[in-house]
Amino acid sequence: MITNTQLPEKFRQIIDKQIEIYKNGRSITQENKLPETSHIPINNPNHWLKIPDVICVFADMIGSTKLSASKHDKSTAGAYQLFSNTIVRLFHELNAPYIDIKGDGVFALFNSDQPNTALASAVTIKTFVNEEFINRIKSKTELDIGLHIAIDQKTLLVRKIGFKRYGDRTDRQNEVWAGRTVNMASKLASITKQNEMLVSDRFFKNLKDDLVLKSCGCPNNEVVDLWKEYDLSDNELFDFDKAYLLESNWCKEHGADFCTRIIELDK
Ligand SMILES: [Zn+2]
């Protein structure tokens, strides 16, 4: 217990108020789909939403710690902006219900009925980074900045935490996603190497069509399996034992057609 002489009273009051709210317990409403961000609760201090089987696509930069704000301010700013702004806009164009920026990464949440769209967004981001981003940043900075990317799927809880308003400010709040999906997608992304994407087995089980499982046949007119099993049973970071690895990007000849038809699979 904090004593009266341990902390100034105003800090003790804040802590006591939050402990009161904590003791009152929580109510959880089940939703089928991700809510509009403006509908995520903040007023009722005890209310949370629960959304089943949310898909998270998590993308961040490999090697961003090499970018220095003091030494190379303009090229560092440029790399962050080109990477994050492009990815946010690609997720938006693909109807991701929720998009957020976390440090040097961006993640999007998709509903359980959008698995092929989520996959198409990830391959699109991968193609952007491999075809445009890496070389542009390398030619300005001599640095190898690449992409970590992964997908996971699991139930999440959400509410807004912070101040609804503080004076004129509305920036002292954020959505808090409780549960493993975002965290696992981020950790899974962190073990990918350049040009690799990993997806958990619980996401992979959604992928049933040959459009997402097999190649287009280029360059040798030979259709091959795109995915390789990736064993994680010895890795204690994850609450699943198996992931699947994809190294391909959109084909220069057939990518646009495949991308469009893959998104159609969710309709
Ligand atoms: Zn092709």
Side-chain angles (χ1 to χ4, degrees), residues 152 154-156 177-186 202 239:
D152 187 29
K154 209 171 187 191
T155 297
L156 283 178
W177 300 93
R180 295 219 167 107
T181 325
V182 181
N183 200 3
M184 286 290 134
S186 157
R202 57 198 180 201
D239 67 340

Side-chain angles (χ1 to χ4, degrees), residues 216 218 251 253-254:
C216 57
C218 294
C251 167
E253 184 76 24
H254 305 103

Side-chain angles (χ1 to χ4, degrees), residues 93-250:
E93 188 61 32
L94 282 147
N95 297 319
Y98 185 85
I99 304 166
D100 204 1
I101 298 173
K102 255 194 168 180
D104 65 349
V106 184
F107 72 93
L109 301 177
F110 292 89
N111 286 308
S112 56
D113 61 359
Q114 299 177 288
N116 296 290
T117 308
L119 178 68
S121 76
V123 178
T124 302
I125 290 163
K126 211 168 164 296
T127 304
F128 151 66
V129 171
N130 282 307
E131 298 280 355
E132 301 285 353
F133 180 79
I134 292 174
N135 291 339
R136 283 172 200 279
I137 302 308
K138 174 110 182 168
S139 70
K140 285 273 183 218
T141 63
E142 312 259 303
L143 296 172
D144 290 305
I145 308 296
L147 173 71
H148 285 305
I149 189 160
I151 307 179
D152 187 29
Q153 179 173 27
K154 209 171 187 191
T155 297
L156 283 178
L157 299 167
V158 66
R159 65 164 287 123
K160 288 177 183 156
I161 288 184
F163 294 94
K164 184 169 191 200
R165 273 218 154 70
Y166 186 80
D168 288 338
R169 303 180 66 158
T170 56
D171 60 340
R172 300 234 156 162
Q173 53 158 284
N174 208 353
E175 298 76 41
V176 172
W177 300 93
R180 295 219 167 107
T181 325
V182 181
N183 200 3
M184 286 290 134
S186 157
K187 287 202 170 98
L188 194 56
S190 75
I191 63 169
T192 60
K193 300 187 187 81
Q194 176 47 34
N195 204 33
E196 291 181 348
M197 170 164 74
L198 283 170
V199 308
S200 63
D201 54 356
R202 57 198 180 201
F203 171 76
F204 186 78
K205 69 178 186 333
N206 297 291
L207 305 180
K208 299 194 169 106
D209 199 284
D210 277 355
L211 275 175
V212 289
L213 296 174
K214 310 252 188 219
S215 73
C216 57
C218 294
N220 305 320
N221 216 8
E222 191 187 343
V223 175
V224 295
D225 289 327
L226 291 172
W227 297 87
K228 287 183 207 135
E229 279 192 28
Y230 192 99
D231 181 30
L232 290 168
S233 54
D234 289 337
N235 195 323
E236 287 174 3
L237 283 176
F238 301 100
D239 67 340
F240 43 85
D241 286 335
K242 206 179 358 168
Y244 288 82
L245 176 76
L246 179 85
E247 292 181 287
S248 52
N249 299 295
W250 293 125

Side-chain angles (χ1 to χ4, degrees), residues 28-33 48-52 155-158:
I28 292 174
T29 305
Q30 177 97 22
E31 301 273 336
N32 292 324
K33 297 206 163 196
W48 288 74
L49 303 179
K50 181 176 184 178
I51 309 118
T155 297
L156 283 178
L157 299 167
V158 66

